[in-house]
Amino acid sequence: MSTDPAFVAVPAQPNDFKFDLAHGALLIIDMQRDFIEPGGFGASLGNDVSQLQAIVPTCAALLAAWRAAGGWAVHTREGHAPDLHDCPPSKRNRGSPSLRIGDVGAMGRVLVIGQPGHAIIPALAPVAGELLIDKPGKGAFYATPLGAELAQRGITQLVVMGVTTEVCVQTTLREANDRGYDCLLVEDGTASYFPDFKAATLAMITAQGGIIGWVAPAAAVIAALSAKPCR
Ligand code: TIU
């Protein structure tokens, strides 16, 4: 019997993403109230959060299909300890937001671990057995156990969704790419406060033969989850 991994081919840009669920994880970046709901960190920076809310049904559909297929999911949250020791002053002091990190807003202290705004939105809440990573930076590998956790489980491929496309999602994709992971970004499962930035990010990921990774719609991933594997 062949020991080659079984895979399914997800139609993607710039070419098919050959995917093996047993060595893959669904990585969901920062789908937190602080970015998606009014009164949080994203809104304090002057952003229209409705563009991020629009992807929630798509993310929920893919997460449900992923779980039904027996796949493993990882959720991340951006945030800081209550004493902000892990928040560089450069991050807190930059710009002129209506609320700075650690200030008290409509959903508690902005971007602070344990506060209401720091929570993942209920529609995408983690379930038992899934991994929850708290991260202080944009990239999910920086100052977190994510790399070790993925290595321990033999994960080599990541299907990625979440917010925002050009900030925490793109940073994480680049970190993952440098660490040797094959990454597919779900194009309708990610959003930016700036549509032009989202479009540019999708283009730069797939340019040059997939210099950072692959891009496909959620429907293509969902269809592949029930496709017959080939070798
Ligand atoms: N501001 C913005 O677009 N994003 C962030 O600050 N964090 C994440 O992307 N999660």
Side-chain angles (χ1 to χ4, degrees):
M1 206 170 111
S2 169
T3 54
D4 291 343
F7 64 84
V8 292
V10 181
Q13 293 296 328
N15 49 38
D16 284 359
F17 182 68
K18 290 182 177 176
F19 174 65
D20 170 18
L21 188 64
H23 296 101
L26 179 62
L27 179 58
I28 308 171
I29 303 293
D30 299 356
M31 291 298 285
Q32 296 163 253
R33 298 183 66 198
D34 254 329
F35 295 108
I36 294 170
E37 295 185 13
F41 182 60
S44 81
L45 296 170
N47 297 309
D48 170 11
V49 297
S50 65
Q51 302 188 76
L52 271 53
Q53 290 168 356
I55 66 166
V56 172
T58 302
C59 292
L62 178 48
L63 178 57
W66 193 272
R67 287 169 173 162
W72 184 62
V74 180
H75 308 252
T76 71
R77 300 185 294 200
E78 182 176 352
H80 299 280
D83 65 1
L84 303 186
H85 74 271
D86 54 0
C87 180
S90 60
K91 181 177 182 181
R92 184 166 196 272
N93 297 333
R94 192 166 304 152
S96 45
S98 59
L99 291 168
R100 294 193 187 277
I101 294 169
D103 289 349
V104 177
M107 293 188 285
R109 294 181 67 202
V110 171
L111 232 53
V112 169
I113 293 169
Q115 298 291 306
H118 179 255
I120 292 176
I121 58 170
L124 298 173
V127 298
E130 296 177 345
L131 180 64
L132 180 58
I133 293 283
D134 281 321
K135 63 187 190 56
K138 306 306 184 201
F141 289 84
Y142 167 67
T144 77
L146 178 59
E149 294 276 1
L150 296 178
Q152 192 181 7
R153 289 169 185 264
I155 301 295
T156 58
Q157 298 189 298
L158 299 173
V159 172
V160 182
M161 55 188 190
V163 296
T164 63
T165 315
E166 81 283 7
V167 182
C168 290
V169 172
Q170 180 168 211
T171 303
T172 298
L173 283 166
R174 289 173 182 273
E175 287 183 328
N177 185 53
D178 280 351
R179 285 163 174 78
Y181 295 91
D182 285 335
C183 300
L184 179 142
L185 175 59
V186 181
E187 62 187 69
D188 47 356
T190 186
S192 169
Y193 301 118
F194 306 94
D196 291 356
F197 288 176
K198 173 177 171 174
T201 302
L202 298 181
M204 65 179 80
I205 287 168
T206 56
Q208 304 180 66
I211 193 83
I212 303 296
W214 288 257
V215 167
V221 179
I222 292 170
L225 288 170
S226 54
K228 190 171 160 13
C230 25
R231 291 186 187 274

